[in-house]
Amino acid sequence: MECCDNQIQFAPEELARMPKVDWPDSWCPHLKNNRCSIYQCRGFICRIYGSSELFPCPHGYGPEKPLTAEETRALFREYVRIKTEQEKNAGCRMKY
């Protein structure tokens, strides 16, 4: 999981939903035994990594035509809207 071995940046909205952990300078602290410990709740960057021109895979993996920067930003806005609506409908902050 070389993507997780890099410094990962999450949006403030995502960080607020994640368990509080110490963040080292070089890898995602949610990587445990070479697996994502919050896979079902992973952030947008983890979901889109390698599929967008903003977040290309350095090893060349990904789609033939990656999402444009505009498409990626629109998708992120929709992602945040859906997550916010889910929390609102649950009547409380979702725990990840």
Side-chain angles (χ1 to χ4, degrees), residues 8 16 18 32 38 47 61 74:
I8 306 296
M18 291 182 182
K32 307 288 184 202
I38 59 167
R47 295 171 189 271
Y61 299 113

Side-chain angles (χ1 to χ4, degrees), residues 14-84:
E14 294 175 309
L15 284 173
R17 294 180 177 103
M18 291 182 182
K20 302 295 183 226
V21 293
D22 290 329
W23 285 85
D25 292 334
S26 58
W27 69 88
C28 179
H30 299 292
L31 186 63
K32 307 288 184 202
N33 298 319
N34 208 32
R35 299 187 63 93
C36 180
S37 65
I38 59 167
Y39 186 80
Q40 293 299 324
C41 306
R42 68 196 184 280
F44 180 78
I45 185 65
C46 304
R47 295 171 189 271
I48 198 88
Y49 187 84
S51 299
S52 166
E53 66 183 23
L54 291 178
F55 310 111
C57 174
H59 305 288
Y61 299 113
E64 192 172 303
K65 183 180 182 290
L67 296 168
T68 65
E70 295 79 24
E71 291 169 327
T72 304
R73 288 183 185 105
L75 192 58
F76 179 71
R77 285 190 297 274
E78 183 64 8
Y79 170 80
V80 170
R81 186 196 65 73
I82 289 169
K83 287 294 191 186
T84 301

Side-chain angles (χ1 to χ4, degrees), residues 78-95:
E78 183 64 8
Y79 170 80
V80 170
R81 186 196 65 73
I82 289 169
K83 287 294 191 186
T84 301
E85 189 64 26
Q86 286 175 341
E87 288 180 359
K88 180 181 167 188
N89 289 337
C92 62
R93 183 180 196 155
M94 295 178 76
K95 304 226 183 220

